[in-house]
Amino acid sequence: MSQTGPAAPSVAQLEQVKDAVRTLLHQPEYDDGSAGPVLVRLAWHSAGTYCAETKTGGSNGAGMRYEKEGGDPANAGLAHARAFLEPIKEKFSWITYADLWCLAAVVAIKEMGGPEIAWQGGRTDFTDDTKIPPRGRLPDAAQGSDHLRHIFYRMGFNDQEIVALSGAHNLGRCHSDRSGFEGKWVNNPTRFSNQYFKLLLAHDWKKKKLDNGLEQFVYVDEEIELEEGEKPEELMMLPTDMSLLSDPAFRTWVKRYAEDKDLFFDHFSKVFAKLLELGICRDASGNVTNAENVEDGYKS
Ligand code: DDH
């Protein structure tokens, strides 16, 4: 391992980047007014390619800058998140894309009312696409619990962690021009909470076939008082979300998180930190030992 890398950024330098992310989150013209949800998805998809057995994929490298990963249909729409962050990368060129993507998600979650998440830097960026893992490692929303276990066990997560991670669907929405699914999971999709679990349990979700042939689950609140001309808002769940209800081991955690917001926040904080570290090896002082260009990695 090289000790020749630049010094790790100071707390003050990191604070400047975090401040810039906080400012950027406010996007009145975009979706529900916040860049937060799509930034969280960017970090998750950058890390979620990890395979514990082959030790490939993970949050190092920022491979989505290359067509091989960025052009994967599973990553449709994440160009918006990368574009949001580009001016920050330009201004603070010392931070790598791989670190910035993960840090932005941590800042976004906190700003949207979520828990504090431990974050460590040191990821480096690939300089070509040769280390990008094959496509097909991210979950397919049309499938069920066997698929979820196949995908998330490969990354090294257990059943409890799968459910906790899925709670990120408190945030954001599905876009018909990205995944093909449509709508949001909760009424306020820019506020981090355990509402997703509460709604999963509370409602009688009905299957709905979309014009593109995809099936999702929906619920319309008939009780809600509407202004004249207002249409009742439809909330949605993906087939994978519904499998958290039908699978007994997953359901136990759905119930616990619906009942106990603090427990969910605590578990989410831990599991999201673990997600962001997938594929990163560190020595005792926290230096990354397997970065693409170790010489360029920070030393503490
Ligand atoms: Fe997700 N997710 N996700 N998701 N996800 C989508 C949106 C968002 C699946 C499918 C979809 C996680 C797990 C799963 C977020 C965070 C996380 C969309 C819609 C689909 C489809 C995309 C679009 O049309 O724009 C599936 C399947 C799984 C699973 O199998 C468990 C996890 C683990 C996270 C996480 O962050 C820990 C977020 C945030 C969004 C909203 C994005 C946006 O633009 O808004």
Side-chain angles (χ1 to χ4, degrees):
M1 194 198 65
S2 166
Q3 292 297 321
T4 58
S10 66
V11 173
Q13 277 179 305
L14 272 179
E15 252 340 287
Q16 285 180 335
V17 176
K18 288 161 94 173
D19 271 344
V21 174
R22 283 182 199 112
T23 308
L24 164 115
L25 290 179
H26 182 62
Q27 293 287 342
E29 304 297 318
Y30 178 78
D31 268 9
D32 301 286
S34 171
V38 79
L39 291 178
V40 174
R41 190 166 198 242
L42 175 67
W44 138 237
H45 277 209
S46 78
T49 56
Y50 186 61
C51 170
E53 204 178 294
T54 57
K55 304 218 179 326
T56 55
S59 71
N60 200 41
M64 257 185 264
R65 290 168 302 128
Y66 297 95
E67 165 62 22
K68 193 170 167 188
E69 190 172 339
D72 183 346
N75 289 327
L78 294 179
H80 290 277
R82 297 196 294 280
F84 280 135
L85 292 175
E86 197 53 39
I88 299 186
K89 170 66 182 161
E90 268 167 36
K91 189 160 176 204
F92 304 97
S93 57
W94 52 265
I95 195 165
T96 58
Y97 282 101
D99 268 354
L100 178 60
W101 294 355
C102 292
L103 183 62
V106 165
V107 173
I109 289 167
K110 182 72 190 154
E111 285 301 297
M112 291 188 284
E116 199 83 54
I117 294 163
W119 178 87
Q120 278 184 287
R123 295 164 195 79
T124 51
D125 296 335
F126 292 155
T127 46
D128 61 43
D129 65 2
T130 49
K131 284 196 187 155
I132 291 175
R135 291 180 180 183
R137 290 190 175 186
L138 293 163
D140 170 2
Q143 300 207 39
S145 53
D146 287 354
H147 172 72
L148 284 190
R149 290 199 170 91
H150 170 72
I151 295 284
F152 284 88
Y153 285 4
R154 187 206 67 224
M155 294 180 227
F157 291 115
N158 63 28
D159 288 356
Q160 171 263 314
E161 291 172 318
I162 293 172
V163 181
L165 279 171
S166 303
H169 284 172
N170 272 287
L171 300 173
R173 54 170 61 244
C174 296
H175 304 77
S176 49
D177 59 342
R178 300 183 190 176
S179 61
F181 295 97
E182 277 170 30
K184 54 189 182 177
W185 292 267
V186 305
N187 285 296
N188 185 349
T190 61
R191 183 91 197 141
F192 195 87
S193 76
N194 62 341
Q195 190 67 5
Y196 162 83
F197 297 114
K198 290 186 184 171
L199 293 176
L200 252 180
L201 287 169
H203 296 316
D204 183 17
W205 296 91
K206 297 259 188 285
K207 195 185 268 186
K208 176 177 171 180
K209 195 165 181 144
L210 304 174
D211 291 345
N212 59 16
L214 287 174
E215 285 181 346
Q216 62 184 46
F217 290 78
V218 298
Y219 162 79
V220 182
D221 193 347
E222 310 276 352
E223 313 273 290
I224 209 157
E225 265 188 54
L226 298 169
E227 302 285 329
E228 209 181 301
E230 230 181 12
K231 280 208 299 194
E233 189 137 43
E234 196 175 87
L235 297 178
M236 64 88 63
M237 292 287 166
L238 297 165
T240 38
D241 297 309
M242 294 304 291
S243 77
L244 303 182
L245 272 188
S246 52
D247 182 279
F250 288 153
R251 189 185 174 96
T252 306
W253 287 105
V254 171
K255 280 170 90 171
R256 289 193 64 183
Y257 294 148
E259 283 157 11
D260 190 343
K261 183 178 151 190
D262 292 343
L263 181 76
F264 168 56
F265 272 38
D266 179 43
H267 285 186
F268 185 83
S269 163
K270 292 189 175 107
V271 77
F272 200 80
K274 176 173 166 179
L275 174 73
L276 299 185
E277 285 291 306
L278 292 184
I280 310 297
C281 300
R282 296 183 188 274
D283 64 18
S285 10
N287 297 310
V288 175
T289 54
N290 68 331
E292 164 77 350
N293 307 300
V294 177
E295 291 74 21
D296 297 340
Y298 313 129
K299 63 176 175 358
S300 311

